[in-house]
Amino acid sequence: MPFDAADQDTDEALLLAYGRGDARAARVLTLRLAPWVLAYARRLLRDAAEAEDVAQEAMLRLWRIAPDWRTGEAKVTTWLYRVVTNLCTDRLRRRRRGAALDEVPEPADDSPGAETRLQQAARVAALDAALARLPDRQRQAVILRHIEGLSNPEIAAILEIGTEAVESLTARGKRALAQALAGRREELGFDDD
Amino acid sequence: MTDPRMNDHEIEALFAAARAERAEPSAALMARIMDDAMIAAAEAAAPRPVAARPVAAQTGRRGLVAVLVAAIGGWPALAGVATAGVFGLWIGYAGPGDVGTLTATILGSAYGPNDLVPSLDTYLTEG
C-alpha cells in the first residue's frame, strides 16, 4: 500500500513534504490532526459550528506556513494548539462583547444507551459548564493538562508563559472546578462510601 | 456531613469522561480542510502576488502580464487556475480509478463518496 508509509512519519516530516507539494502528506496530516483540533476547539467554545470554523481556519494557517516552516523550532502540535487557543480566545472575546456569555445548552442525550453512557454524558456536561465559568487562561491550562494530557512545559510553550505559571493556573483551576461542582457529587454518581 | 466538594479522584473521573467523549469531524469538514490544503499548495506554487507591493507602485506602468492577469480577475483567479492545474497533476499522479478510489485516496477508507454529498433522503421524506 503506497499510502501507508506516510502514516509513520512525524508531523513535521509530513508538513515539510506537503510544503514540497505532496498531497498525500496533507491527507495524513488532516486525518491525524483535524480530530483533536476540532475537539479542543469545541471544548473551548462549546459551540460545534464555531469549532468547525476554527478547526478549518487553524488547519488553513498550517497549510500556509508549511513552505516557511522552520525545522526543529517548535512541534507542529504545539504550534497548532497555540493557533487554536488564540482563535478561540478572539471568538470568545467577540462573543462577550456582543452579548452576555452565551450559555449554550448541552444537547440532551436521549439515545437509548446504557445508564453509564448517560451518566458519562452528564459528567461531561457538568464539567463543561464548570469549565466555562473559569477565567480564559485557567480554562485553557486545565483543558490542555487534564483533557488533552499535555505536559506542563508543552502547555507553557502553547500559552507562552512560564512552567510555574502553568502549575499555578492548573492548580487554581482545579480548585475552582471542585468549588463549582460542589453539591453535585451524588447527582453525578459519586456515592459517599 | 461529608464535604460537598469533589475530591481529586472524582474530578479526574470527570476529565476521563471528557477525554472519552471525542466527536469525530464530519466528512464535509475533512473535505473542506483538504480543499484548503490543495488551494494553499497552489497559492504557494504560484508567483508571489504583486499586491504585496504598495498600491501606489502598481498604478503607474503595467506590464502585459499584469494586464492579462487583471483581465481574468487578478491573482486570486490565477490561484484558482493553478489549483486546478496542481489538482489535475495530482490526480494524474495518483491515478485514481474512480470517484470511490479518489475519495479513499484523499480521506481514507473511513469515508465514502456518499459522505461528501448531502443525502437526498432529506428531500424525499414526507412529513
Side-chain angles (χ1 to χ4, degrees), chain A residues 41-61:
Chain A
R42 275 180 90 138
R43 188 124 274 131
L44 285 178
L45 292 169
R46 302 180 75 213
D47 182 302
E50 271 200 288
E52 285 209 350
D53 289 348
V54 164
Q56 188 179 357
E57 173 67 23
M59 292 299 290
L60 178 59
R61 291 188 185 196

Side-chain angles (χ1 to χ4, degrees), chain A residues 9-65:
Chain A
D9 289 337
T10 63
D11 296 338
E12 186 167 67
L14 289 167
L15 188 60
L16 293 173
Y18 164 73
R20 292 190 298 270
D22 183 347
R24 291 170 301 166
R27 179 187 74 88
V28 177
L29 278 174
T30 301
L31 291 172
R32 191 184 286 180
L33 302 177
W36 67 253
V37 166
L38 179 69
Y40 178 51
R42 275 180 90 138
R43 188 124 274 131
L44 285 178
L45 292 169
R46 302 180 75 213
D47 182 302
E50 271 200 288
E52 285 209 350
D53 289 348
V54 164
Q56 188 179 357
E57 173 67 23
M59 292 299 290
L60 178 59
R61 291 188 185 196
L62 183 69
W63 305 138
R64 288 199 169 137
I65 203 169

Side-chain angles (χ1 to χ4, degrees), chain A residues 63-181:
Chain A
W63 305 138
R64 288 199 169 137
I65 203 169
D68 303 318
W69 185 262
R70 295 188 191 179
T71 321
E73 278 198 9
K75 279 172 69 178
V76 173
T77 46
T78 303
W79 185 90
L80 255 183
Y81 268 120
R82 191 183 302 154
V83 169
V84 174
T85 304
N86 291 339
L87 286 172
C88 289
T89 302
D90 288 347
R91 280 177 182 255
L92 288 171
R93 278 194 192 129
R94 260 180 280 155
R95 204 192 275 176
R96 282 177 200 138
R97 272 203 298 269
L101 180 60
D102 203 0
E103 278 297 328
V104 182
E106 288 298 318
D109 186 351
D110 55 359
S111 64
E115 193 179 324
T116 47
R117 184 171 145 58
L118 289 175
Q119 187 173 76
Q120 291 294 88
R123 287 179 176 186
V124 174
L127 177 64
D128 278 345
L131 280 168
R133 287 202 287 271
L134 297 184
D136 281 352
R137 295 303 250 183
Q138 271 184 33
R139 184 171 65 253
Q140 290 158 3
V142 167
I143 290 172
L144 289 169
R145 182 78 186 86
H146 296 289
I147 300 179
E148 300 297 319
L150 303 186
S151 68
N152 284 347
E154 275 180 290
I155 299 168
I158 292 163
L159 299 181
E160 299 178 279
I161 55 177
T163 313
E164 284 177 8
V166 174
E167 286 166 10
S168 164
L169 282 173
T170 49
R172 276 186 286 147
K174 267 183 84 173
R175 274 202 302 276
L177 284 180
Q179 196 71 45
L181 292 162

